[in-house]
C-alpha cells in the first residue's frame, strides 16, 4: 500500500516539473512562485516537523534550530566557494552562479523526497489512518518539490537534460524511500536533524538567490503575488493534512 501511494507522489513530482518547464516565458513568475513555495515548505512544514522530531536542546537552543542555521551557513559557504573558484578560472561576473550549486540543491531535494517515502512507509506500519494522512501531505507538496527541483537546477545554468534528470530522480525518490522501510528504520531525532539542516539550505536558496532573481528584471506586483500564493498554497496543504 505504501509503495502504491508513493506512485502518486511520483506522478505529482513529475507534474510539478512539467509545469515549471512549460512557463519559461514567464520566468519571473515561476521564480516568484518557487520562492514562495520554498518559504512555505521551510516555515510551515519542515521546521515544525524538525522541532517535533529532534526535541533535544544544546546549550538552551533546540538542536533542530541549530542545524537550521548551520544549513543556511553551509549553503552560503558552498555557493561562495564554488562561485569564487569559477571566477578564478575566468568565469564572467554575470554568470557567477555555479552549476554545482544547483545540482547540490536538487540532490538535497531528492534526499528530502526519499525521506517523504520513508515517512509514508513508516506511517502505514503504524496504521491505515496515519498512512493516509501522511500520504495526503506528501502527495500534495510533491508538486512543489518537482517544481522547485527543476527550477533550482535550471536557475544555476545547468542544461535542460540535467534538470530533467534531477526531476526524474526526485520523482523516483519517494518510491525508493517507501520500499526501504521494509528493511530499516531511521531514528526520529536523526530525521528531525536532517529536516532542520535541509530547511536552512532551502531558506538560503529562496531568500538569497531565487527571490532576488525573480524581482531583478521584473519587479512587478504579479511576481510578489506569486510568492505570496506559493506560501499560501503550502499553508493550505499543511492545514488540509492536519499539520
Amino acid at each position: 500500500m505504501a509503495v502504491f501511494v508513493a506512485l502518486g507522489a511520483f506522478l505529482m513530482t513529475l507534474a510539478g516539473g512539467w509545469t515549471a518547464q512549460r512557463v519559461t516565458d514567464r520566468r519571473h513568475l515561476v521564480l516568484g512562485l518557487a520562492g514562495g513555495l520554498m518559504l512555505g515548505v521551510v516555515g510551515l512544514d519542515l521546521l515544525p516537523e524538525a522541532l517535533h522530531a529532534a526535541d533535544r536542546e544544546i546549550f538552551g537552543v533546540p538542536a533542530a534550530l541549530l542545524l537550521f542555521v548551520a544549513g543556511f551557513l553551509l549553503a552560503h559557504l558552498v555557493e561562495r566557494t564554488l562561485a569564487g573558484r569559477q571566477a578564478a578560472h575566468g568565469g564572467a561576473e554575470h554568470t557567477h552562479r555555479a552549476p554545482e550549486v544547483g545540482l547540490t540543491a536538487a540532490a538535497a531535494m531528492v534526499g528530502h523526497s526519499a525521506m517523504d517515502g520513508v515517512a509514508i512507509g513508516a506511517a502505514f506500519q503504524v496504521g491505515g489512518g496515519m498512512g493516509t494522512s501522511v500520504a495526503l501531505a506528501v502527495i500534495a507538496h510533491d508538486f512543489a518539490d518537482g517544481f522547485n527541483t527543476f527550477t533550482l537546477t535550471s536557475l544555476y545554468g545547468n542544461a535542460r537534460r540535467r534538470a530533467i534528470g534531477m526531476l526524474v530522480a526526485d520523482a523516483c525518490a519517494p518510491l525508493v524511500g517507501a520500499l526501504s522501510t521494509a528493511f530499516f528504520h531511521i531514528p526520529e531525532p536523526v530525521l528531525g536533524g536532517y529536516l532542520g539542516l535541509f530547511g536552512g539550505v532551502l531558506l538560503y536558496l529562496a531568500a538569497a538567490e531565487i527571490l532576488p532573481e525573480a524581482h531583478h528584471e521584473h519587479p512587478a506586483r504579479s511576481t510578489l503575488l506569486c510568492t505570496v500564493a506559493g506560501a499560501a498554497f503550502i499553508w493550505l496543504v499543511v492545514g488540509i493534512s492536519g499539520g
Side-chain angles (χ1 to χ4, degrees), residues 42 45-72 188-201:
V42 172
D45 189 13
L46 291 182
L47 269 185
E49 181 62 29
L51 288 169
H52 174 73
D55 57 356
R56 65 184 295 251
E57 293 187 353
I58 300 176
F59 202 61
V61 178
L65 290 184
L66 288 175
L67 286 166
F68 173 76
V69 173
F72 189 97
E188 192 173 20
V190 174
L191 180 60
Y194 165 79
L195 292 177
L197 185 72
F198 179 53
V201 172

Side-chain angles (χ1 to χ4, degrees), residues 150-242:
F150 186 87
T151 302
L152 280 170
T153 310
S154 302
L155 178 64
Y156 283 84
N158 289 285
R160 185 172 180 270
R161 60 180 179 81
R162 283 190 174 182
I164 292 176
M166 295 306 297
L167 173 63
V168 171
D170 189 48
C172 292
L175 290 170
V176 176
L179 282 170
S180 72
T181 57
F183 305 101
F184 70 91
H185 172 71
I186 298 178
E188 192 173 20
V190 174
L191 180 60
Y194 165 79
L195 292 177
L197 185 72
F198 179 53
V201 172
L202 274 191
L203 182 63
Y204 176 82
L205 294 174
E209 295 295 328
I210 289 183
L211 290 178
E213 179 72 13
H215 292 275
H216 177 61
E217 295 181 0
H218 297 276
R221 185 176 299 175
S222 57
T223 306
L224 178 60
L225 289 176
C226 281
T227 303
V228 174
F233 172 75
I234 300 299
W235 184 16
L236 177 65
V237 168
V238 172
I240 290 175
S241 64

Side-chain angles (χ1 to χ4, degrees), residues 58 62 96 126 149 166:
I58 300 176
H96 68 280
V126 173
T149 297
M166 295 306 297

